[in-house]
Amino acid sequence: MATQESKQLALKEKELGNAAYKKKDFETALVHYRAALTHDPTDITFHNNIAAVYFEQKEFKKCIEECEKAVEVGRENRADYKLIAKAFTRTGNAFRKLEDYKSAKTYFEKSLSEHRTPEVKSLLSDTEKQIKEMERLAYIDPAKAEEEKEKGNEYFKQGDYSTAVKHYSDAIKRNPDDAKLYSNRAACYTKLAAFDLGLKDCETCCRLDETFIKGWIRKGKILQVMQKSSEALTAYQKALEIDPNNAEALEGYRACTVDVHSDPEKVWNKAMNDPAVQQILKDPAMRVILDQMQNDPNAVLEHLKNPQVASKIQKLLGSGIIKIY
């Protein structure tokens, strides 16, 4: 047991150590903290201080060892549970620096069992996320994803859509950036009438690869079934931007245009209040094209090959000013 005089000497050394620590003179700080321990080896604080220095020096293994001593001394001398929690937290942080996230998680949990603070709860949450991400990345294997995809394709052909979903889902875990896998699974969900799940997969597919036309068409079809013709119209428009001659996209666009614009008067009034529509209709070149389309509806296919004209025609289609039959 340290005498009162020894404790006073220890505190003076600690203060000198703190002053050096603040100046980032870590070697000097270590000298004083170790001197404090010689005067009073029963105080957990000095071990915590030494561990803090090791942490700053990036000596993470030494930091962990010192924290273990701190906890041992703290337990033997019935130290404040907050000081023991502090040692556990620093151990967790040191393990994080060593990228040993599972050990870090263990020590953050130990810290919280001693004293719960928002800071440590946040550290634990972040560490758990890192563990999950590492496990996810470790599971990625494009070759195995392709194997699972082929299995899914076989079950899809057999009409066993639930089993196909399982294989496509595993393929997605193996290669989460492959847009086509989400499209395939969306096809299964559509067959199973799980339209919300199918739509979610289509949205992921289109986000990953905006040029994959099948994703937009499949999204349009699902939205049609869900009676969301206006949103389906937008999906088909995206598909037509990729391939203006795609038969499925054109057919879906026509059908949705009819559904969306069933009240001609309302459609006209709404369209004419749209500045973009007004500007298109004032364009002399567009008026010539619209006249051609009126005399020959098939002329739209030729004009859709021009991206600028296609964009304007699709705007007019979307507004209901013109229709393709």
Side-chain angles (χ1 to χ4, degrees):
M1 179 70 69
T3 65
Q4 192 62 34
E5 183 182 355
S6 294
K7 288 184 178 183
Q8 288 298 322
L9 290 171
L11 288 175
K12 286 181 180 179
E13 290 291 346
K14 176 193 170 187
E15 288 171 6
L16 291 170
N18 289 348
Y21 182 91
K22 288 176 183 176
K23 294 176 183 177
K24 297 190 181 296
D25 183 357
F26 299 124
E27 289 301 328
T28 301
L30 273 178
V31 170
H32 289 296
Y33 290 143
R34 284 170 180 157
L37 266 179
T38 61
H39 291 301
D40 185 2
T42 65
D43 194 330
I44 182 177
T45 303
F46 307 140
H47 286 289
N48 277 342
N49 291 146
I50 292 170
V53 172
Y54 285 143
F55 191 91
E56 290 297 328
Q57 291 179 322
K58 303 188 188 307
E59 296 278 0
F60 301 118
K61 289 184 179 179
K62 287 184 178 180
C63 173
I64 291 167
E65 290 172 4
E66 199 64 37
C67 286
E68 288 173 350
K69 292 177 186 176
V71 172
E72 185 181 345
V73 168
R75 296 285 194 215
E76 289 175 355
N77 294 279
R78 297 183 181 180
D80 188 333
Y81 57 86
K82 292 180 183 178
L83 294 174
I84 293 174
K86 190 173 185 178
F88 282 139
T89 299
R90 185 165 283 123
T91 304
N93 281 326
F95 274 120
R96 271 179 56 141
K97 291 292 185 180
L98 293 170
E99 297 185 354
D100 183 350
Y101 297 110
K102 289 186 177 180
S103 294
K105 177 177 181 288
T106 298
Y107 279 91
F108 289 140
E109 288 171 339
K110 286 183 177 183
S111 177
L112 288 170
S113 70
E114 297 290 334
H115 178 54
R116 299 188 70 81
T117 66
E119 178 194 358
V120 180
K121 285 173 71 176
S122 178
L123 286 169
L124 176 60
S125 177
D126 288 344
T127 302
E128 288 172 336
K129 288 176 184 176
Q130 285 173 309
I131 291 170
K132 285 182 180 179
E133 179 63 10
M134 286 179 67
E135 290 173 347
R136 185 188 73 82
L137 292 173
Y139 197 70
I140 290 175
D141 186 331
K144 289 183 179 179
E146 191 63 27
E147 291 175 12
E148 291 297 329
K149 175 188 172 185
E150 291 304 319
K151 290 177 184 177
N153 290 346
E154 286 302 315
Y155 281 106
F156 186 90
K157 290 174 186 175
Q158 295 170 22
D160 187 348
Y161 305 119
S162 294
T163 304
V165 164
K166 291 178 182 177
H167 288 291
Y168 288 139
S169 295
D170 202 44
I172 286 169
K173 289 178 184 177
R174 294 286 188 184
N175 192 3
D177 295 328
D178 187 340
K180 293 178 182 178
L181 295 175
Y182 295 92
S183 177
N184 288 1
R185 191 170 68 175
C188 292
Y189 284 140
T190 302
K191 293 289 187 181
L192 294 167
F195 301 116
D196 286 344
L197 293 174
L199 179 60
K200 185 178 179 181
D201 270 355
C202 285
E203 287 171 347
T204 302
C205 170
C206 295
R207 177 174 53 78
L208 289 172
D209 186 356
E210 293 183 354
T211 65
F212 184 52
I213 192 168
K214 190 177 285 187
W216 292 109
I217 292 173
R218 187 155 279 149
K219 180 179 179 180
K221 288 183 176 180
I222 291 175
L223 287 166
Q224 273 185 281
V225 174
M226 296 174 76
Q227 297 184 344
K228 296 182 178 181
S229 298
S230 181
E231 292 177 45
L233 198 64
T234 301
Y236 287 127
Q237 183 174 340
K238 288 284 188 181
L240 288 169
E241 288 174 6
I242 298 166
D243 180 6
N245 298 318
N246 185 280
E248 279 188 284
L250 282 169
E251 182 182 350
Y253 204 109
R254 290 174 185 139
C256 290
T257 301
V258 172
D259 289 340
V260 172
H261 308 305
S262 56
D263 187 333
E265 186 176 350
K266 286 184 180 179
V267 169
W268 179 263
N269 290 335
K270 182 179 178 181
M272 294 312 293
N273 284 323
D274 186 335
V277 171
Q278 292 176 20
Q279 189 174 358
I280 293 170
L281 293 177
K282 288 177 182 178
D283 184 343
M286 280 303 298
R287 295 196 68 85
V288 171
I289 291 170
L290 292 172
D291 286 340
Q292 288 176 354
M293 289 170 56
Q294 190 171 9
N295 295 324
D296 180 11
N298 291 325
V300 69
L301 297 176
E302 189 63 32
H303 291 304
L304 284 172
K305 293 178 182 178
N306 182 323
Q308 290 184 333
V309 174
S311 176
K312 292 178 180 179
I313 289 175
Q314 284 158 7
K315 175 65 179 176
L316 295 178
L317 280 167
S319 70
I321 292 291
I322 60 173
K323 296 181 182 180
I324 301 174
Y325 295 99

